[in-house]
Amino acid sequence: MINFKDEICKIIAENVDGISYEDALSMVEVPTDTKMGDYAFPCFKLAKVLRKAPPLIAKDIAGKLAENQLFEKVEQVNAYVNMFLSKKALVEEAVTTALDEGEHFGGSEKGKGKKVIVEYSSPNIAKPFHIGHIRSTVIGNSIYKIFELLGYEVIRINHLGDYGTQFGKMICAYRRWGNKEDVVNEPIKTLLGYYTKFHKEAEKDPSLDDEAREIFAKLEKGEPAEVELWQWFREESLKEFNRVYDMLGITFDSYNGESFYSDKMPRFVKELEEKGILEESQGAHIVNLEDAGLGVALITKSDGSTLYITRDIAAAVYRKETYDFYKNIYVVASQQNLHFQQWIEIVERLGYEWARDCVHVPFGLVSLEEGTMSTREGRVVFLEDVLNKAVEKTKEIMVEKNPEGVDIDQIAKDVGIGAVMFQELSNNRIKDYTFKWDKVLNFDGETGPYVQYTHARSASLLRKAGISPEDIKAAKDLDFSLLQGDSSFALAKLIYQFPTVVEDAGDKYEPSIVTRHIVNIAQAFNRFYHDEHILVEDEKEKLAKLALVLATKQSIRNGLALLGINAPEKM
Ligand code: ARG
């Protein structure tokens, strides 16, 4: 694909003494107002180096660029060079690349030979899988897809919260008040009930806490009776999580969670000791990070048991030794910022030079209209309920519309679940937001259903034209000069930008950049559809327009795929 920005910088570097390609690259702008051109080059900074007035410099540069076929027009306006790309060159580049690359369009070889770990979802076993979990799950899944398209080999890890003293409490409660059937029928609700009951009872009878601690100690030692129960709780919870993952179309390569590291920790406690980083404090062990402004991290408790942070240290080293990652990405709420800063700092102090290749990708909080979520007070919205409700509601709409020749149940799933995911991926991940039913299920505006519908519209247009995508791709003599109307050009330009957008989303770990871009493509397509008569008599013109339709369809489809959302052919 011709990289126009790259070409511009090459021409400038070749023709202007004292400006390198890199300098030029850092100066080229994309004007927000297209009247100022597709690219602009400000010359203020060059006045010193070139000892010339900026407008004169701009004039020289404009003269050089104007000689090139890539541009339709190059203007000097004050200190700026404004460049207008040749419409034909850009449209041709966008359409042929999208058609040639097909489902790989938007991708690159940037990550070739590099392994990236994306850790996401990572819920706590035996706790409800609620609307808050959608964030890590869906953002992480999208980051995985983005890195995969950029050529990286991606390993997806679900770092389950399957360890800790709460399992002592749960086993204790199960033995006292529980029964097997309830756990099998409704694992999470039941186990959660045990946990809550335990807390109530322990307030009256504190000896229960000792009992739970003893049980956890046995679990840590690997006593079969405790291990068996713990494993069963884990399996039953996972069954329930997997039901939701299936609905979302999300999978993992590894479910190695906290328990997996339980026997790998002594090594790190020892390493910390040997490096003189570990301090004793009232029988517990800590690492003091005050000098880095990161407080104090508790590594082992006074009874010798390890903590969440110890397991993260062990996990990072295990992953480096097992996968030799280029980047190890954690999609985890911003509430855990300090936790991540602490353990990454500790791994660095241990002398692991790759410590900063561990990247925490934080995101903001979801709250409910009635306030923050609280498991104890029963203020939770289960993710599964949200998804089911979205599917049901979509089905009602579909039944009313009664479209011909579509599998309504399948479409309702694709569109309903897609709507929830799309909404989740629409905002900057770091922003907090309030979960509102009406908003999730509102299908108007810049939403998933709108984008999916636009995709289906492009598919229907191609069907109506009676020409197969293969025939369009095989056509040798596409005349791109026939696609120069404003709305055709605006659309082609967005398609042209798609690969850069994907790369940017990867660099910033920010799927919403893709989401916004495919909304823009959908809007531009609908404008094109409105402005242009597509199925015209003239075969040449029709073919060129259909090629643009197909390139649009491919871009939207690939964009939705990066968000983890299906793109139905009919709606
Ligand atoms: N299970 C944790 C929670 O629900 C999230 C785990 C995040 N990952 C990690 N490596 N610490 O809060």
Side-chain angles (χ1 to χ4, degrees):
M1 182 135 167
I2 302 179
N3 184 334
F4 290 105
K5 194 170 167 183
D6 191 66
E7 294 299 324
I8 292 167
C9 296
K10 275 190 209 150
I11 300 172
I12 295 178
E14 270 166 32
N15 289 288
V16 188
D17 286 337
I19 309 180
S20 70
Y21 169 81
E22 285 74 23
D23 295 336
L25 208 55
S26 70
M27 292 165 71
V28 176
E29 294 172 358
V30 176
T32 30
D33 182 357
T34 47
K35 285 196 201 76
M36 319 293 272
D38 301 300
Y39 292 96
F41 191 77
C43 299
F44 307 102
K45 283 195 201 152
L46 303 175
K48 252 197 187 157
V49 198
L50 302 178
R51 296 164 171 280
K52 228 189 207 171
L56 288 180
I57 303 174
K59 192 162 186 229
D60 285 351
I61 295 179
K64 292 289 172 212
L65 288 168
E67 289 163 17
N68 198 292
Q69 292 218 343
L70 288 179
F71 306 104
E72 194 167 272
K73 187 170 79 178
V74 183
E75 285 176 349
Q76 171 245 325
V77 178
N78 300 323
Y80 279 90
V81 184
N82 293 342
M83 294 159 256
F84 297 81
L85 293 177
S86 145
K87 288 192 175 143
K88 180 170 174 286
L90 185 134
V91 175
E92 177 164 358
E93 200 48 41
V95 174
T96 50
T97 312
L99 299 191
D100 287 350
E101 295 184 1
E103 61 185 35
H104 298 290
F105 177 57
S108 71
E109 305 257 284
K110 189 177 171 170
K112 212 174 165 188
K114 291 186 184 136
K115 275 190 196 153
V116 162
I117 291 176
V118 184
E119 188 213 287
Y120 55 108
S121 202
S122 310
N124 293 333
I125 294 290
K127 295 256 179 78
F129 200 59
H130 56 70
I131 184 68
H133 289 106
I134 195 177
R135 305 224 71 188
S136 172
T137 307
V138 167
I139 296 170
N141 181 56
S142 179
I143 290 178
Y144 139 64
K145 303 231 173 201
I146 291 170
F147 275 84
E148 185 171 70
L149 196 64
L150 291 171
Y152 294 88
E153 182 187 335
V154 189
I155 298 116
R156 302 160 295 178
I157 299 183
N158 191 336
H159 186 79
L160 290 174
D162 57 1
Y163 206 65
T165 45
Q166 72 270 28
F167 289 95
K169 296 176 186 171
M170 236 172 286
I171 292 174
C172 172
Y174 174 73
R175 283 179 176 160
R176 282 176 173 258
W177 314 293
N179 76 74
K180 196 169 171 178
E181 270 138 59
D182 290 346
V183 176
V184 172
N185 290 338
E186 273 200 310
I188 292 184
K189 283 192 180 123
T190 305
L191 292 170
L192 185 68
Y194 293 160
Y195 189 67
T196 326
K197 175 146 175 129
F198 178 90
H199 277 280
K200 266 202 202 121
E201 298 292 326
E203 267 172 32
K204 290 181 254 164
D205 176 7
S207 76
L208 281 176
D209 280 315
D210 297 327
E211 191 179 322
R213 244 191 306 276
E214 268 166 43
I215 295 176
F216 182 62
K218 285 188 184 164
L219 182 61
E220 283 216 284
K221 277 197 216 97
E223 299 275 349
E226 281 71 22
V227 170
E228 198 184 311
L229 271 179
W230 164 81
Q231 216 151 34
W232 177 52
F233 289 168
R234 186 182 191 271
E235 272 162 28
E236 294 297 329
S237 302
L238 251 184
K239 273 189 210 160
E240 211 166 313
F241 295 154
N242 277 327
R243 234 175 24 233
V244 180
Y245 292 140
D246 283 349
M247 290 176 90
L248 294 168
I250 284 175
T251 45
F252 298 91
D253 300 304
S254 160
Y255 289 86
N256 285 343
E258 292 186 48
S259 67
F260 181 76
Y261 301 99
S262 62
D263 61 349
K264 299 182 176 51
M265 277 169 309
R267 167 181 158 192
F268 299 99
V269 176
K270 200 164 148 241
E271 277 184 34
L272 285 164
E273 244 165 7
E274 284 167 3
K275 298 247 151 91
I277 306 171
L278 206 61
E279 290 172 27
E280 211 179 307
S281 167
Q282 298 162 354
H285 287 94
I286 59 155
V287 175
N288 189 331
L289 301 168
E290 302 273 10
D291 56 342
L294 296 176
V296 165
L298 188 59
I299 301 293
T300 63
K301 291 196 218 166
S302 51
D303 62 5
S305 60
T306 58
L307 289 114
Y308 181 50
I309 194 168
T310 331
R311 298 191 271 278
D312 261 321
I313 296 170
V317 178
Y318 174 84
R319 289 180 193 178
K320 184 69 192 179
E321 290 173 353
T322 308
Y323 302 107
D324 192 21
F325 56 74
Y326 163 71
K327 285 251 171 345
N328 176 20
I329 299 165
Y330 296 79
V331 185
V332 180
S334 57
Q335 284 155 310
Q336 297 194 26
N337 280 354
L338 179 64
H339 167 76
F340 278 91
Q341 286 168 340
Q342 285 185 331
W343 75 249
I344 292 173
E345 176 76 22
I346 293 173
V347 171
E348 189 164 48
R349 290 187 187 191
L350 277 172
Y352 294 105
E353 73 284 354
W354 46 263
R356 302 282 157 192
D357 297 334
C358 297
V359 186
H360 177 210
V361 174
F363 53 82
L365 220 67
V366 187
S367 50
L368 302 179
E369 284 172 286
E370 47 293 6
T372 44
M373 242 173 296
S374 160
T375 315
R376 284 213 188 147
E377 288 161 42
R379 261 205 316 272
V380 265
V381 174
F382 286 85
L383 183 50
E384 191 172 5
D385 294 343
V386 174
L387 298 176
N388 281 327
K389 206 163 159 179
V391 173
E392 244 168 66
K393 165 113 182 181
T394 314
K395 194 168 166 183
E396 280 167 26
I397 298 173
M398 294 311 293
V399 167
E400 212 169 279
K401 280 176 70 177
N402 193 21
E404 239 173 81
V406 304
D407 175 349
I408 289 196
D409 284 313
Q410 186 57 43
I411 299 277
K413 271 188 205 150
D414 287 345
V415 177
I417 291 171
V420 178
M421 293 171 90
F422 196 94
Q423 130 105 5
E424 177 55 44
L425 295 167
S426 289
N427 295 315
N428 259 347
R429 61 177 156 73
I430 206 69
K431 275 202 199 147
D432 293 346
Y433 79 89
T434 304
F435 175 82
K436 293 185 183 133
W437 274 112
D438 345 345
K439 198 158 175 220
V440 174
L441 297 178
N442 178 4
F443 289 176
D444 295 321
E446 301 177 356
T447 62
Y450 170 74
V451 174
Q452 283 172 320
Y453 181 71
T454 307
H455 172 269
R457 180 179 238 186
S458 66
S460 126
L461 198 55
L462 292 164
R463 278 194 304 272
K464 218 155 126 200
I467 180 165
S468 72
E470 289 67 36
D471 288 340
I472 296 176
K473 286 182 198 176
K476 288 274 172 297
D477 50 351
L478 289 173
D479 184 352
F480 294 97
S481 65
L482 298 169
L483 293 175
Q484 299 208 4
D486 285 345
S487 46
S488 316
F489 182 61
L491 174 59
K493 199 166 150 187
L494 289 168
I495 295 172
Y496 172 78
Q497 288 162 350
F498 184 61
T500 325
V501 162
V502 176
E503 192 173 334
D504 192 32
D507 287 345
K508 300 194 171 107
Y509 310 105
E510 187 60 85
S512 67
I513 296 177
V514 173
T515 315
R516 279 197 298 269
H517 196 73
I518 55 174
V519 167
N520 291 342
I521 293 181
Q523 287 171 342
F525 176 76
N526 288 319
R527 223 165 293 132
F528 164 73
Y529 187 86
H530 172 267
D531 291 353
E532 299 274 348
H533 185 192
I534 297 166
L535 301 179
V536 289
E537 289 287 313
D538 184 277
E539 284 296 324
K540 260 198 141 145
E541 185 181 339
K542 183 167 83 182
L543 197 61
K545 285 180 170 168
L546 288 172
L548 181 56
V549 174
L550 185 56
T552 307
K553 177 172 184 287
Q554 189 72 61
S555 310
I556 295 183
R557 192 181 185 79
N558 293 9
L560 285 171
L562 289 176
L563 307 177
I565 300 174
N566 290 338
E569 293 288 313
K570 284 184 188 173
M571 253 170 92

